[in-house]
Amino acid sequence: MMDLTLYYAPDTCARVTMIALEEAALPYDARLISFVRGDHRADWFRTLNPRGRVPTLVIDGAPLTENMAILHWLAQVRPEAGLLPEASSAFEQARLLADLAWCASGLHPIVTRMRLPHFFCDQPDAAANVRALAEAAMIAEFRTIEARLAAGPWWYGERWSIIDAYINWIWFRVTGCGLDASAFPRLQDHDRRLSDRPSVRKVLDVHAAASRQLAEQGLAVNFDTIASQVSQGKAA
Ligand SMILES: N[C@@H](CCC(=O)N[C@@H](CS)C(=O)NCC(=O)O)C(=O)O
């Protein structure tokens, strides 16, 4: 039996990793970290992940970082969980990696630009433009996903995969910061169906409880505070 520890923060992309662990039915220890307290910048955490990010999964004492690598590894060690479709050639395997890479390096950075536009320009007045450009890029991506969902309920048609959880986390993040969901009825339906999965329900409950716990300790992430700290040069 492997010893697994997942470092996560509520509502971050570590939600996708946690869903993958639940779907794989692998026991793991979930360790909540606080961005507000600066846990991710602490030396102990940097030894696990020098970039100070979640998710970080420690496997028998060895850290693995980058969501796409973690998800790919989980799909390989637990093929029976069906996190990704079976690949019968190197080419098919590479195409699955392409989808994971698109989520992590194509979609996720747009989320960050929408939620934290002030991190991407040194002119406070221009943050609204960064946000508007990011939103336009996200809408273009969602149009593609919406069109693909016409062929079946999930990204890979009739079969669910971890790509669906990744897309859904992106959806949750950007509809949660003002993107109008009404133009994307299939993505809305995808969200409803995904939320019915026991793994997802469980992880949403864990993240909600973690958010409450941090809020009670005065450690809730406040995006307005971050924006004002950035404009005053106080945030990293
Ligand atoms: N490329 C990384 C990005 C991970 C990432 O950006 N995680 C965010 C949460 S969604 C984080 O830890 N942010 C903390 C920070 O940037 O200081 C991955 O895909 O795992």
Side-chain angles (χ1 to χ4, degrees):
M1 180 63 73
M2 286 178 292
D3 183 37
L4 299 176
T5 302
L6 175 68
Y7 290 88
Y8 79 104
D11 298 339
T12 63
C13 60
R15 174 166 128 173
V16 186
T17 332
M18 200 180 269
I19 292 170
L21 283 160
E22 291 293 333
E23 290 279 342
L26 285 166
Y28 62 98
D29 184 14
R31 300 254 175 96
L32 174 61
I33 72 157
S34 160
F35 291 145
V36 173
R37 193 167 48 210
D39 296 349
H40 58 315
R41 298 201 189 101
D43 290 345
W44 68 268
F45 190 71
R46 294 267 196 197
T47 60
L48 300 175
N49 185 340
R51 288 172 290 281
R53 301 275 169 90
V54 294
T56 296
L57 183 67
V58 181
I59 306 154
D60 291 334
L64 183 61
T65 64
E66 297 299 319
N67 222 353
M68 69 164 286
I70 299 171
L71 298 174
H72 187 252
W73 176 79
L74 284 169
Q76 299 280 310
V77 295
R78 264 287 201 272
E80 63 276 25
L83 294 174
L84 290 171
E86 248 177 69
S88 57
S89 66
F91 179 71
E92 277 182 23
Q93 190 62 41
R95 286 181 78 167
L96 299 176
L97 274 173
D99 286 343
L100 281 172
W102 166 66
C103 291
S105 63
L107 300 179
H108 186 162
I110 305 176
V111 174
T112 320
R113 280 157 184 75
M114 280 183 67
R115 292 191 72 97
L116 297 164
H118 37 276
F119 277 137
F120 297 92
C121 59
D122 57 5
Q123 310 287 320
D125 296 347
N129 294 353
V130 174
R131 151 92 206 198
L133 288 167
E135 184 161 335
M138 189 54 87
I139 287 170
E141 294 282 8
F142 279 163
R143 285 203 184 112
T144 311
I145 301 169
E146 181 79 4
R148 179 157 169 152
L149 290 177
W154 306 114
W155 178 252
Y156 293 121
E158 292 305 318
R159 64 139 15 254
W160 179 88
S161 75
I162 199 62
I163 301 292
D164 292 291
Y166 220 144
I167 289 171
N168 182 253
W169 174 74
I170 304 280
W171 173 256
F172 155 73
R173 273 312 214 185
V174 300
T175 53
C177 74
L179 187 131
D180 178 12
S182 64
F184 305 105
R186 291 191 196 106
L187 270 157
Q188 288 181 53
D189 194 41
H190 182 261
D191 179 47
R192 278 189 288 273
R193 271 179 290 104
L194 198 102
S195 309
D196 280 343
R197 288 183 84 79
S199 66
V200 177
R201 276 208 302 271
K202 179 173 175 188
V203 170
L204 294 182
D205 286 349
V206 169
H207 281 235
S211 288
R212 282 195 299 275
Q213 184 186 324
L214 291 177
E216 279 161 20
Q217 296 169 357
L219 296 172
V221 174
N222 180 329
F223 285 94
D224 294 334
T225 311
I226 296 172
S228 98
Q229 285 175 339
V230 169
S231 64
Q232 294 165 37
K234 289 185 195 155

